[in-house]
Amino acid sequence: NGTTGGNCAYGGGAGGGSGGGIRIACGKITGTGYIYAYGGNGTNQAPTAGGGGRVAIYYADIAGFDQTHITVRGGLTREGSAGTIYLKDSAQTYGEVIIDNDGYYSPQATLFKTSLTDFKKLITRDWGRLSVVSTDRAAFTVAEPVLIANSGTLTLNSGVTMSVTNA
């Protein structure tokens, strides 16, 4: 029922730092606490805030935990991009990727830099903006329909192929 995470501090004249990364591998995750990796804030003198961090949770049972309590928003004041949440059920072949900026507007996109090529779900929501560039990931597959909600966006740049197998 506690909280784990990190807020990156303002990085001086260079802007805010990124939210860092959290990896949790567990059998069962329960409680009412929060897991977060926030980017550091920017200022009027700094070029931008830091991007949100990365949270990856590998689990066998997450039913007793409110997944909206996992947040990876970018820093505020000169808005930073959203981070990424990766949830992987040990009973599933592929995990799900969530890009969520916790309802804070940001013109900055999160780049899809991963070695993974297959996902169970892809969700962009609450001002999370995902941009896929062919030099980072030229092709990938999502097993379930992609969800884009609450001002989330997904941009597939030139040369990118996304396949949805159970649309």
Side-chain angles (χ1 to χ4, degrees), residues 2-164:
T3 299
T4 187
N7 279 337
C8 186
Y10 162 61
S18 74
I22 298 170
R23 182 183 194 277
I24 298 172
C26 60
K28 184 175 189 176
I29 185 167
T30 63
T32 59
Y34 290 83
I35 301 167
Y36 64 93
Y38 296 158
N41 294 334
T43 68
N44 290 335
Q45 295 79 31
T48 190
R54 310 291 181 246
V55 172
I57 303 176
Y58 300 82
Y59 61 90
D61 181 359
I62 199 169
F65 187 76
D66 183 349
Q67 294 178 32
T68 65
H69 288 193
I70 306 167
T71 55
V72 291
R73 69 165 168 76
L76 307 176
T77 319
R78 316 279 290 196
E79 302 86 359
S81 63
T84 58
I85 300 168
Y86 181 73
L87 302 175
K88 171 71 173 65
D89 184 332
S90 60
Q92 300 292 326
T93 304
Y94 307 114
E96 60 187 85
V97 174
I98 302 167
I99 310 298
D100 184 336
N101 212 32
D102 207 23
Y104 291 94
Y105 168 79
S106 174
Q108 309 298 325
T110 300
L111 296 176
F112 201 44
K113 294 184 175 262
T114 179
S115 61
L116 301 174
T117 58
D118 296 281
F119 303 93
K120 178 182 175 191
K121 293 181 185 177
L122 175 61
I123 300 168
T124 64
R125 65 184 181 212
D126 296 327
W127 289 107
R129 298 172 181 266
L130 179 61
S131 179
V132 187
V133 179
S134 64
T135 54
D136 294 332
R137 174 62 37 223
F140 64 100
T141 301
V142 180
E144 296 181 12
V146 173
L147 174 64
I148 300 171
N150 301 331
S151 300
T153 64
L154 170 61
T155 303
L156 301 177
N157 292 288
S158 177
V160 174
T161 302
M162 177 181 75
S163 301
V164 180

